[in-house]
Amino acid sequence: MAMMTKPMFFRQLVHPVTMLVACLVISLEATERPNIVFLLSDDQTTYSLGCYGTPGVKTPHLDRLAHDGMAFDNHYDTTAICMASRASVMTGKYEYKTGCNFEHGPLVQDHWDASYPVLLRKAGYRTAFAGKFGFVVSPKPGARGILPESDFDWWGGGPGQTFYETAKNESMKRYAAEYPHSTLSYGAFGRDFISESAKGDQPFCLSISFKAPHRPVSPDPKFDHVYHGKTFTKPANYGRQNGRHFSKQSQQGRQYVRFHEWGYSDDYDRVMALYYQQVYAIDVAVGMIREALEEAGVADNTVVIYTSDNGFLCGSHGYGSKVLPYEEASRVPMIVFDPRHGTKGQARRCDALTGNVDITPTILDLSGVAFPPGMDGKSLVPLYENPNQPIHEYLPLINVWGPAPVHSLAVVSKDWKYVFWGYGEEDFEPTEELYLLREDPLEMINQATNTDDHAAALQRMRATYDRALTDWKNEAVPYHNYQRFGILFDRELPWSEKRDALEWWVSRRRIWLQIRRRLVREHHTDLNLRDWGKTGLANELALVIWADERNLN
């Protein structure tokens, strides 16, 4: 046997020592990185929680979460509808950069690859999702999408709106016997994932998206007693008399008629009791999850975040539902509790302007994962240290879903909100609204017509709006029909020019759809919007369809 030289001896000794140190570092990083629990409700207004100052509601677990951590008082969903908002939550990007919403299209794979669930799993986190996912992921624009079930270690998610009946949710059926209503089944899923994950040495990220309190109204009968016979104080901006100053455009969608259709106008107490009962079940599920963290011994190293994908108007200003840029629809609860911080139990509040696009940067910051390029959100972690530190000058509030008149773009700052309704066809006029939120949080006075007192503020917010629109024009995805809204929302263009441009966009999309149908039918091939113009076949068909349209006209 050859004699081992000193350098050889040390090389062979150093190698296992290096490996041991590396393993210790990895193990140390795993224990130091916090676990993340991200909880998302659906259609929850701020005045459904006791910690947001609403008398008569019962949310003890969420109130305790706010008492332990920090509640955010100016937190906005930059799109107030579930599909688009959820894509923004998971990517940290505005809707026009994700390209994802109803009537537009799914989230494209490139964006999903930069989402917090994917990035955390790549960084060594054990991940789980349960509940309403809210969108699908497609390989390219215009292609069919799927749920990204394989990107999670545990999966309890479902397609579309999911069901309140647990047994109907395929991935959650095992909980149906004990928890026949889905809200508590998600609490049980979270409990089991936490218990199992705590046995290992990986940090974990649990994401749960409750269906509640989204309609159809289907509260868990287990809690029928909680609000039985209760009456509730209406908000000061309740009713049609408090919405007369809103634009005519805002009245054209389903939000306006649902004030009557959903019973806010004549059965308010019953409607709100059922709504609050659904929120109460979420509160119980949150209690189950926090109890599981304690029992597993990981509560002291687990950050809990709670918010909603959009708010709900609940009769304010004489409207129901969501979507619109007004406070009850776009401003939502937001609670963060980091037990590692020395402020537990101080019931801290933050009035900085924050948004749903801040969720992903916050989770990545907490977990020590590098931010991907292109995110619009900011980490909320600095606000936990200094609640008065501004992180946004303004946020856009977007609606490009529903009837054309209801499409709007707004910008909100800490003190002001400016809304532009660009539709001007028939007897509509493009309309501006301006609210001084600092003094008028219920949006009772449109200051856009008060040029004597607020002319400077109007000009300033118009300039802010124009900056937001410039970003839209420069950064919107080149698919799913987002570019045309840069025209619709332009304050400077007269409606006659917008009409011609928008008709061109609509015509172009109609022709594209006809081309695609012919390609599939006659040539058994399918192309996405970016690729179709590159083929001679598509160009040939385009000329044929243009000619057909000319002859028809």
Side-chain angles (χ1 to χ4, degrees):
M1 185 175 69
M3 184 178 294
M4 184 179 293
T5 65
K6 185 181 289 188
M8 289 175 61
F9 171 78
F10 277 111
R11 278 198 299 269
Q12 293 196 19
L13 175 64
V14 167
H15 180 68
V17 170
T18 303
M19 293 297 294
L20 177 61
V21 170
C23 290
L24 288 172
V25 169
I26 292 170
S27 178
L28 182 62
E29 286 179 350
T31 56
E32 286 183 341
R33 290 189 294 174
N35 307 307
I36 309 290
V37 172
F38 175 59
L39 306 174
L40 185 72
S41 62
D42 195 325
D43 290 359
Q44 187 176 4
T45 184
T46 53
Y47 59 80
S48 62
L49 292 169
C51 57
Y52 277 85
T54 306
V57 298
K58 299 177 181 179
T59 50
H61 296 291
L62 286 165
D63 293 349
R64 184 165 70 87
L65 186 67
H67 182 267
D68 289 345
M70 178 181 287
F72 293 73
D73 291 317
N74 291 299
H75 186 78
Y76 290 85
D77 286 323
T78 53
T79 301
I81 191 168
C82 52
M83 182 174 177
S85 181
R86 289 160 188 262
S88 291
V89 163
M90 288 200 172
T91 64
K93 298 175 183 177
Y94 300 137
E95 179 189 342
Y96 61 79
K97 290 172 70 173
T98 69
C100 180
N101 200 352
F102 302 111
E103 303 178 351
H104 292 271
L107 189 71
V108 174
Q109 185 71 47
D110 288 348
H111 292 298
W112 173 245
D113 288 343
S115 67
Y116 82 79
V118 172
L119 294 175
L120 259 63
R121 196 177 189 210
K122 286 181 178 178
Y125 271 73
R126 194 164 189 254
T127 62
F129 180 88
K132 172 183 168 180
F133 201 77
F135 60 87
V136 293
V137 178
S138 67
K140 59 185 180 179
R144 185 180 299 275
I146 61 171
L147 290 171
E149 178 177 350
S150 62
D151 288 329
F152 295 87
D153 296 296
W154 276 39
W155 176 257
Q161 296 292 346
T162 67
F163 299 95
Y164 279 120
E165 301 93 339
T166 305
K168 293 183 178 180
N169 296 320
E170 188 64 31
S171 63
M172 296 293 294
K173 289 171 67 173
R174 64 188 182 276
Y175 293 103
E178 187 173 1
Y179 303 103
H181 192 279
S182 69
T183 302
L184 293 191
S185 78
Y186 298 133
F189 176 98
R191 174 200 64 202
D192 293 348
F193 176 73
I194 290 166
S195 176
E196 183 70 21
S197 298
K199 299 173 184 176
D201 57 3
Q202 284 179 275
F204 63 81
C205 178
L206 167 66
S207 302
I208 292 181
S209 292
F210 299 99
K211 178 178 173 65
H214 194 288
R215 294 176 79 94
V217 177
S218 184
D220 190 334
K222 182 176 182 178
F223 305 119
D224 283 350
H225 64 282
V226 176
Y227 291 108
H228 179 70
K230 300 290 187 183
T231 59
F232 304 98
T233 302
K234 298 183 177 77
N237 61 1
Y238 166 85
R240 285 279 163 87
Q241 70 278 10
N242 291 312
R244 292 172 184 149
H245 56 291
F246 282 3
S247 73
K248 182 177 179 180
Q249 287 91 333
S250 72
Q251 301 172 5
Q252 306 312 305
R254 63 187 190 183
Q255 296 74 33
Y256 193 68
V257 297
R258 283 179 172 174
F259 177 66
H260 293 305
E261 289 178 352
W262 283 356
Y264 297 110
S265 60
D266 58 3
D267 200 8
Y268 183 84
D269 289 327
R270 186 188 67 83
V271 171
M272 294 308 296
L274 294 171
Y275 180 79
Y276 291 148
Q277 184 177 335
Q278 291 177 289
V279 173
Y280 182 85
I282 295 175
D283 188 81
V284 173
V286 171
M288 293 170 66
I289 291 167
R290 293 199 71 188
E291 182 179 4
L293 292 172
E294 293 287 349
E295 290 179 352
V298 294
D300 290 340
N301 193 42
T302 302
V303 179
V304 181
I305 301 171
Y306 181 90
T307 189
S308 182
D309 63 351
N310 48 255
F312 223 52
L313 286 152
C314 294
S316 288
H317 303 287
Y319 292 72
S321 197
K322 48 202 173 187
V323 172
L324 302 178
Y326 302 122
E327 289 291 282
E328 290 77 17
S330 61
R331 188 170 64 88
V332 296
M334 175 68 179
I335 304 169
V336 177
F337 172 46
D338 186 344
R340 304 168 303 164
H341 202 272
T343 55
K344 180 178 179 180
Q346 295 183 12
R348 302 165 78 213
R349 313 289 299 196
C350 177
D351 68 351
L353 179 67
T354 61
N356 59 348
V357 291
D358 299 329
I359 301 296
T360 282
T362 301
I363 291 175
L364 296 182
D365 194 1
L366 288 166
S367 57
V369 176
F371 293 5
M375 286 197 308
D376 299 298
K378 308 289 184 183
S379 172
L380 302 179
V381 171
L383 294 177
Y384 217 83
E385 294 292 337
N386 179 8
N388 297 316
Q389 177 182 343
I391 61 171
H392 293 288
E393 179 186 349
Y394 69 89
L395 290 169
L397 304 177
I398 299 163
N399 180 45
V400 291
W401 176 86
V406 185
H407 296 164
S408 66
L409 179 63
V411 286
V412 61
S413 68
K414 184 177 175 182
D415 294 330
W416 291 90
K417 183 187 291 182
Y418 173 86
V419 186
F420 183 71
W421 304 90
Y423 189 81
E425 193 60 83
E426 298 172 345
D427 57 345
F428 290 90
E429 291 289 336
T431 302
E432 296 177 301
E433 296 179 32
L434 180 70
Y435 299 100
L436 178 51
L437 299 176
R438 182 181 66 249
E439 299 176 3
D440 180 25
L442 297 178
E443 296 176 313
M444 300 290 278
I445 303 172
N446 179 8
Q447 302 288 358
T449 58
N450 186 0
T451 54
D452 292 337
D453 295 335
H454 297 297
L458 178 60
Q459 291 303 318
R460 186 169 62 252
M461 291 303 290
R462 281 173 174 168
T464 300
Y465 174 92
D466 292 343
R467 285 164 52 199
L469 184 61
T470 297
D471 289 343
W472 185 306
K473 292 178 178 180
N474 292 336
E475 299 176 11
V477 294
Y479 50 82
H480 293 173
N481 210 23
Y482 278 89
Q483 303 93 335
R484 71 187 183 97
F485 292 101
I487 300 168
L488 175 64
F489 295 145
D490 194 321
R491 296 187 307 105
E492 304 297 333
L493 284 179
W495 177 251
S496 58
E497 291 185 27
K498 291 183 182 182
R499 182 195 299 115
D500 293 342
L502 293 174
E503 284 178 355
W504 179 83
W505 273 100
V506 171
S507 177
R508 189 178 83 158
R509 180 159 181 79
R510 183 173 64 250
I511 291 168
W512 148 243
L513 291 173
Q514 291 182 58
I515 291 169
R516 190 172 182 179
R517 281 195 293 270
R518 287 198 188 188
L519 287 170
V520 173
R521 184 177 66 248
E522 299 173 14
H523 302 278
H524 307 290
T525 188
D526 195 7
L527 297 171
N528 65 41
L529 188 57
R530 279 181 169 174
D531 294 340
W532 76 267
K534 298 176 183 177
T535 68
L537 176 62
N539 288 334
E540 203 172 299
L541 283 172
L543 291 173
V544 170
I545 294 171
W546 275 115
D548 288 349
E549 289 215 338
R550 275 209 198 95
N551 292 334
L552 287 172
N553 292 332

